[in-house]
Structure formats: C-alpha cells, structure tokens
Amino acid sequence: MTPMIKTTLASLLLIAPLSAAHAQMALKLAHAAPTTDTQQQAAERFAELVKEGTDGEITVNIFGNGVLGGDQQMIAGVRSGTIDIEMSGNP
C-alpha cells in the first residue's frame, strides 16, 4: 500500500467517528488509467479499505479511464470540490 493511500485512509478513519449523525458519505476517486492498470487495482483496494474501516459509512466511487477528464482537469476538479480524490502519474 502506498504512503498516499495509507495517509488518506488514516485521515478518513480519524474523521469518520466525529460525525454525530454518522451519515453515509460517498467520495469520488478519479484517475485516467485504463481499468486494467495498477492504478485501478490500487483504487479498488483503497475503496475496500475505506468501506471496511468505516463499517460502510464511507464509500469510494471510482471513475477510471479519464471519464472525469485528463490529469489537469481532474486536479482542477479536486481544487473546485467536484472530485474528492485524484490519482495521476505512475504508481
């Protein structure tokens, strides 16, 4: 597991109990790699860990193949708040 995934997961696990209502939350994770790429595999594993670690309160919806744009568009989406998590470059 990469340090980025560990850090993000740890952050999510720390803030999850702070929610008074424990409302369900869905995060958008975007990457431009094909579904056969290791980025997709890492994203799927991250989504599993988040779901397990939060007892299903937080889910991660994966948008691969650049369906939410190229790297620059996805970074802009994170900055504007339309995308929660973005992976770019090679793992």
Side-chain angles (χ1 to χ4, degrees), residues 11-42:
S11 298
L12 290 171
L13 293 176
L14 288 173
I15 63 170
L18 299 178
S19 173
H22 292 289
Q24 293 228 346
M25 176 188 294
L27 301 174
K28 286 184 186 175
L29 185 153
H31 66 82
T35 57
T36 57
D37 193 82
T38 56
Q39 283 192 358
Q40 177 69 23
Q41 294 170 358

Side-chain angles (χ1 to χ4, degrees), residues 8-83:
T8 305
L9 180 58
S11 298
L12 290 171
L13 293 176
L14 288 173
I15 63 170
L18 299 178
S19 173
H22 292 289
Q24 293 228 346
M25 176 188 294
L27 301 174
K28 286 184 186 175
L29 185 153
H31 66 82
T35 57
T36 57
D37 193 82
T38 56
Q39 283 192 358
Q40 177 69 23
Q41 294 170 358
E44 289 171 358
R45 180 67 179 138
F46 176 73
E48 290 171 14
L49 291 171
V50 169
K51 189 173 182 177
E52 290 170 10
T54 62
D55 292 326
E57 301 240 352
I58 300 174
T59 58
V60 178
N61 296 325
I62 302 167
F63 297 87
N65 288 322
V67 296
L68 297 183
D71 289 341
Q72 293 304 316
Q73 290 85 8
M74 289 186 293
I75 291 169
V78 170
R79 288 181 178 152
S80 69
T82 59
I83 298 172

